[in-house]
């Protein structure tokens, strides 16, 4: 397939990671009660203090822009969410054969997502999501498709959880003349949270979180390990670090 076909839909789907996930090396599959992690595991939104609104944006080294917004709220026994992802590639300036300067954006992607999470039994949380997206290159070639995601988290005890998710499952995207598989991804992980200090006079204490994930890519069959740690000071500030190893990088 053409190079643009291989990278087009990946930019808005596979390349995006929530800010917290980036800081933890991508090891967030088993971390819950955080609506920003719905893009990784839709079960993560369950139990959040709703309604919750998150907005973030990033500028890349080539002046490409990525932004996301997500809203989660309680709907009976469910926690529902809707969100949007947007990507704008670098702007190119070239002179045409007519001598005129032509300015165009290399790529524009937009994805809309919705889903929900619920608890079918004590200690178990499940979530599902659907994403519709469009990818356009050079203002001339575009493609649309739909993908699905699902995930779950299971509490092993008061401190440890297991998590698993399947992302970007769906039919191949028809890009130019060739069908291109979506960037299917399967994640399995674990996370533990520990009270590092006790708060005073009803104030929250410090919390330390350790997490590890294994990630399988359906695009090239690569396996990747991810680890991360977080230290939260009185729910006001957080220090995070993470690393990824293996895989194509």
């Amino acid at each position: 397939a053409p190079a643009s076909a291989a990278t087009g839909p990946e930019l808005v789907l596979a390349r995006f990671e929530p800010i917290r996930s980036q800081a933890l090396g991508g090891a967030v599959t088993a971390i819950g009660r955080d609506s920003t992690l719905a893009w990784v595991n839709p079960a993560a939104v369950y139990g959040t203090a709703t309604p919750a609104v998150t907005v973030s944006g990033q500028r890349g080294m080539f002046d490409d822009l990525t932004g996301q917004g997500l809203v989660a709220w309680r709907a009976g026994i469910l926690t529902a969410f809707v969100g949007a992802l947007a990507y704008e590639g670098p702007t190119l300036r070239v002179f045409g054969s007519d001598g005129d300067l032509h300015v165009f954006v290399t790529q524009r992607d937009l994805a809309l997502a919705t889903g929900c999470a619920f608890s079918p039994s004590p200690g178990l949380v499940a979530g599902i999501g659907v994403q519709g997206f469009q990818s356009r290159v050079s203002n001339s070639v575009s493609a649309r498709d739909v993908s699905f995601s699902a995930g779950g988290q299971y509490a092993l005890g008061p401190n440890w959880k297991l998590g698993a998710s399947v992302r970007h499952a769906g039919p191949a995207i028809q890009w130019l003349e060739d069908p291109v598989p979506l960037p299917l991804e399967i994640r399995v992980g674990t996370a533990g949270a520990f009270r590092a200090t006790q708060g005073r006079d009803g104030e929250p204490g410090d919390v330390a979180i350790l997490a590890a994930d294994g990630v399988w890519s359906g695009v090239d069959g690569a396996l990747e390990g991810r680890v991360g740690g977080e230290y939260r000071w009185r729910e006001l500030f957080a220090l995070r670090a993470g690393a990824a190893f293996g895989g194509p990088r």
Side-chain angles (χ1 to χ4, degrees):
S4 60
T7 59
E10 287 188 8
L11 289 173
V12 72
L13 292 178
R15 281 188 61 179
F16 175 77
E17 284 280 338
I19 300 299
R20 188 182 185 190
S21 180
Q22 292 183 46
L24 292 174
V28 296
T29 306
I31 296 178
R33 298 185 179 182
D34 187 344
S35 59
T36 67
L37 301 180
W39 301 107
V40 177
N41 187 347
V45 303
Y46 187 81
T48 57
T50 58
V53 180
T54 174
V55 179
S56 65
Q58 293 177 280
R59 180 182 292 274
M61 63 182 299
F62 299 108
D63 287 334
D64 50 327
L65 300 174
T66 304
Q68 70 88 28
L70 188 138
V71 179
W73 68 96
R74 192 71 176 266
I77 63 173
L78 305 177
T79 301
F81 67 89
V82 294
L85 281 176
Y87 172 82
E88 185 169 297
T91 300
L92 294 185
R93 295 171 172 83
V94 297
F95 285 95
S97 58
D98 54 5
D100 293 335
L101 177 64
H102 298 271
V103 180
F104 60 93
V105 177
T106 54
Q107 184 163 343
R108 281 193 175 98
D109 293 354
L110 175 66
L112 302 177
T114 186
C116 66
F118 59 98
S119 179
S121 63
L124 177 64
V125 175
I128 55 174
V130 59
Q131 304 85 36
F133 64 91
Q134 173 180 279
S135 184
R136 180 180 295 272
V137 173
S138 303
N139 299 323
S140 58
V141 180
S142 65
R144 297 181 178 90
D145 206 349
V146 176
S147 67
F148 303 90
S149 60
Q153 295 177 345
Y154 180 73
L156 296 175
N159 297 324
W160 281 101
K161 288 199 303 183
L162 297 177
S165 69
V166 178
R167 305 172 67 201
H168 315 142
I173 182 172
Q174 190 68 33
W175 193 259
L176 298 177
E177 297 180 355
D178 300 313
V180 178
L182 294 182
L184 175 67
E185 183 181 82
I186 298 177
R187 298 189 181 199
V188 178
T190 184
F194 310 92
R195 183 69 62 181
T197 64
Q198 295 295 329
R200 298 179 179 178
D201 300 326
E203 294 182 353
D206 298 354
V207 175
I209 296 176
L210 299 175
D213 275 17
V215 183
W216 176 80
S217 170
V219 175
D220 52 16
L223 291 173
E224 187 174 82
R226 302 176 181 182
V227 293
E230 176 179 290
Y231 190 90
R232 293 207 305 263
W233 182 75
R234 298 185 180 181
E235 301 295 335
L236 295 177
F237 301 99
L239 178 64
R240 301 179 177 119
F245 49 91
R249 292 181 292 182

